DNA sequence: GTTATTTATGTAACCAGTTACGTAATTGGT
DNA sequence: ACCAATTACGTAACTGGTTACATAAATAAC
């Protein structure tokens, strides 16, 4: 625990939250308030915000809609809630608290008052203000996240001296072919199509001459990875032909190449970036997601590449 | 959210903890570390503390032993862990990390380093120190709890002027009978035994003359509740004959009576308090638990009261 | 105005925890 | 030294959430 320090923050938050939920349930129980603990997030929400649809409630409570759906069912069975249909949209209806719920509220109100008073008294008596600290931490965490900063730090931290990024040079043409042939062979039985062949055999005309770029990752004089940025029409760029030598994978080299390509795309005032990939490559998929890409339908309906079943886009 | 203030602390803790767990899982995934998220609390624990038994691990992680049992099974299936039998106790065995786990640790170590650095950098840049605030809040919460302070505040807050506690007076003898007959009739078909009859018909000799006490709760000139403290042998006291008028239940009157009785018992240097009750009275049971009573076996094996199936004790 | 897409909800199967209970080994009381 | 109580662990059934998928209504696209 001590040695973990800030790493145990997550489990400390969990422990406190569990305990507080249990305690509140216990207080309600002794006061003979017949409100199942799993009900009160929704119950509270509807009290404060008025009738809401299932998806609205789910979004506000940070849970999925089936969870709300189930709870609403149970609350309906206990006559705490009814569904008021929305005449303007027959799919949905408003979860509306019933008479019995308002009676319960009467019983609960003084408890909430006392709970607030007591918690405020604890908080006020402390040297370090938990509410302010929490708000500040939440904001920082939401703004900066955890995933990308840590992964970037990892990528930078690996061989900071020996890993360098190289621009295209005709001497590296064979490496470009080799690195891409490797994954095409491994995952797709070497199923090159015409586009692949053009790109790999004549990268100068396929990429560079059209305003595209190719970069290489060089680790101690060895070329271990590459990536290409293709210039399509009207500010649309495509990222493709990313490959990292198998024995150097998982060290953030792909991530570093992606960051270079993204940086250049921004410099070129690209307005969107896309890429095509496959569900057979889950690692790459996670990387793209962390970079902000999200999966959308293929704009042409079907890909030029038979292997590709995922189309991802990043609006800049 | 805003109006709830400190009341939403629980859900804010939950949200943060969920998010951090997911993010860590996501980082491991991109780094191609094959460690299921549900494994890592136990994994981490065993790394830092060395081999542990199932119950030890459960206690340290604040989960139940079946949870550890299941996770250990799965980790065993993935060859991350094996069970080393304890020669001195054939029931148990030490959950021991396997070779493969230590290889994983090598891969994870740099991630932990970067995570710690990054989180520390966030925390250090903040105006209000989250770690100190959290530690302080955890301590206050663990020491004072939430349940009893809030329930006591509620009890005090209800009619603080009109509710008073009265000592025994022969005029109140009929009330003592009435209040107890009410619940005996309601829950146990008026099944009085000889002891009940003595206690209710001759409370002076049954309680007071033996060094016991009887108190009444008086609400606006009406007697609405009572409790008795019986003096048994060698510092053992019994709490019994607690009754609150049905229409005034759920307002903390029972709790107030209990607190009076407990206070007196302490004053008398009682070393233990016990009471007998029934699983038919869940509300009362919760109250006793909140007061610190815990269920134990009946010392005589069987109760003098047919209705009683629960024996509870509080060591002072 | 028809057809495709998106949105709101429900249902099923699953998952990680829980409580309740059973069994076997150890400890303790007389 | 024995029998009762306790402890360590496992298993079963349940719970509150999840993801994946189905359906119907509303909206958008042509």
């Amino acid at each position: 625990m001590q040695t973990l320090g800030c790493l145990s923050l997550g489990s400390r938050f969990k422990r406190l939250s569990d305990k507080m939920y249990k305690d509140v349930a216990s207080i309600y129980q002794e006061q003979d308030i017949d409100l199942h603990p799993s009900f009160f997030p929704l119950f509270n929400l509807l009290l404060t915000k008025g009738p809401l649809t299932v998806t609205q409630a789910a979004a506000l409570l940070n849970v999925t809609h089936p969870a709300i759906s189930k709870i609403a069912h149970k609350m309906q069975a206990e006559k705490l809630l009814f569904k008021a249909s929305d005449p303007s949209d027959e799919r949905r209806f408003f979860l509306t608290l019933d008479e019995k719920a308002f009676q319960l509220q009467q019983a609960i109100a003084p408890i909430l008052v006392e709970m607030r008073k007591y918690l405020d008294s604890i908080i006020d008596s402390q040297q370090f203000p938990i509410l302010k600290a929490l708000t500040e931490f939440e904001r920082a965490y939401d703004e900066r996240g955890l995933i990308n900063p840590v992964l970037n730090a990892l990528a930078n931290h690996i061989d900071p001296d020996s890993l360098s990024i190289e621009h295209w040079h005709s001497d590296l043409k064979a490496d470009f072919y080799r690195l891409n042939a490797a994954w095409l062979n491994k995952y797709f039985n070497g199923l090159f199509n015409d586009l692949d062949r053009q790109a790999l055999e004549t990268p100068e005309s396929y990429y560079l001459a059209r305003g595209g770029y190719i970069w290489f990752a060089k680790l101690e004089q060895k070329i271990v990875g590459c990536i290409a940025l293709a210039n399509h029409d009207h500010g649309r760029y495509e990222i493709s032909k990313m490959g990292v030598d198998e024995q150097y994978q998982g060290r953030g080299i792909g991530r570093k190449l992606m960051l270079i390509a993204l940086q250049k795309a921004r410099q070129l005032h690209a307005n969107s970036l896309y890429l095509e990939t496959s569900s057979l490559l889950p690692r790459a998929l996670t990387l793209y997601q962390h970079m902000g890409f999200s999966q959308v339908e293929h704009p042409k309906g079907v890909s030029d590449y038979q292997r590709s079943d995922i189309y991802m886009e990043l609006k800049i």
Side-chain angles (χ1 to χ4, degrees), chain A:
Chain A
M1 210 59 165
Q2 307 76 357
T3 62
L4 283 174
C6 56
L7 294 180
S8 62
L9 266 179
S11 50
R12 287 168 74 181
F13 287 141
K14 179 164 156 35
R15 180 178 149 276
L16 260 175
S17 122
D18 285 355
K19 218 191 297 190
M20 291 177 81
Y21 271 96
K22 273 186 197 157
D23 285 355
V24 173
S26 191
I27 288 173
Y28 283 5
Q29 193 184 336
E30 194 185 312
Q31 291 286 307
D32 217 15
I33 285 170
D34 188 19
L35 182 63
H36 196 283
S38 70
F39 294 177
F40 51 82
L42 182 57
F43 180 86
N44 241 318
L45 186 71
L46 295 177
L47 274 179
T48 53
K49 304 256 175 181
L52 294 170
T53 68
V54 173
T55 35
Q56 285 168 344
L60 288 165
L61 292 178
N62 278 308
V63 293
T64 55
H65 80 265
I68 301 295
S69 188
K70 277 192 209 175
I71 292 170
H73 247 105
K74 288 184 198 161
M75 287 179 72
Q76 232 181 332
E78 295 203 12
K79 300 256 180 280
L80 287 170
L81 180 143
F82 63 92
K83 292 177 176 174
S85 60
D86 178 353
S88 77
D89 186 338
E90 290 191 15
R91 287 170 307 177
R92 65 189 190 174
F93 34 76
F94 291 104
L95 301 175
T96 313
L97 290 179
D98 213 333
E99 185 52 35
K100 195 175 153 194
F102 291 106
Q103 286 168 16
L104 261 184
Q105 187 196 11
Q106 299 295 314
I108 290 174
I111 300 178
L112 294 183
V113 169
E114 288 305 329
M115 259 174 25
R116 177 171 308 162
K117 264 198 226 161
Y118 172 68
L119 283 176
D120 279 342
S121 82
I122 282 195
I123 289 168
D124 289 344
S125 72
Q126 306 225 308
Q127 187 186 351
F128 304 105
I130 182 76
L131 276 177
K132 285 179 186 168
L134 192 60
T135 305
E136 205 182 6
F137 184 77
E138 281 171 336
R139 171 162 311 145
Y141 195 99
D142 285 345
E143 266 172 22
R144 303 207 247 159
L146 177 70
I147 300 177
N148 278 318
V150 169
L151 287 172
N152 285 336
L154 277 168
N156 288 325
H157 146 115
I158 283 162
D159 305 315
D161 301 317
S162 52
L163 184 76
S164 62
I165 300 294
E166 305 276 317
H167 288 274
W168 167 263
H169 186 282
S170 56
D171 291 353
L172 302 175
K173 191 166 163 180
D175 288 304
F176 190 59
Y177 192 98
R178 173 179 58 84
L179 288 161
N180 283 294
W183 59 265
L184 278 162
N185 284 323
K186 179 166 181 195
Y187 293 101
F188 306 103
N189 299 314
L191 201 73
F192 293 45
N193 68 11
D194 284 347
L195 283 172
D196 289 320
R197 227 174 296 276
Q198 279 178 47
L200 296 181
E201 291 173 3
T202 58
E204 294 95 334
S205 58
Y206 192 84
Y207 292 104
L208 309 175
R210 299 181 190 169
Y213 293 80
I214 297 176
W215 294 271
F216 294 89
K218 186 172 179 181
L219 191 67
E220 289 156 0
Q221 312 311 317
K222 269 191 68 179
I223 299 295
V224 296
C226 63
I227 196 166
L229 180 70
N231 179 13
H232 290 275
D233 38 17
H234 316 299
R236 280 180 81 234
Y237 285 81
E238 177 191 7
I239 284 181
S240 70
K241 299 291 178 288
M242 187 178 91
V244 174
D245 211 336
E246 196 160 9
Q247 68 186 111
Y248 298 103
Q249 281 178 14
R251 299 219 227 157
I253 294 170
R255 169 167 273 267
K256 228 171 170 172
L257 287 164
M258 280 290 292
L259 286 172
I260 296 290
L262 259 68
Q263 190 187 335
K264 175 59 79 177
R266 282 202 192 85
Q267 212 180 79
L268 294 168
H269 305 294
N271 52 49
S272 82
L273 270 168
Y274 76 91
L275 57 84
E276 302 195 45
T277 182
S278 158
S279 51
L280 294 176
L281 307 167
R283 267 277 296 295
L285 222 59
T286 321
L287 170 59
Y288 302 145
Q289 280 160 1
H290 288 164
M291 290 291 168
F293 282 85
S294 45
Q295 191 175 349
V296 294
E297 274 305 301
H298 195 292
K300 292 194 283 182
V302 59
S303 170
D304 292 334
Y305 301 95
Q306 208 193 320
R307 61 175 177 272
S308 157
D309 59 354
I310 292 176
Y311 182 96
M312 301 183 90
E313 202 174 49
L314 172 65
K315 298 278 180 200
I316 297 191

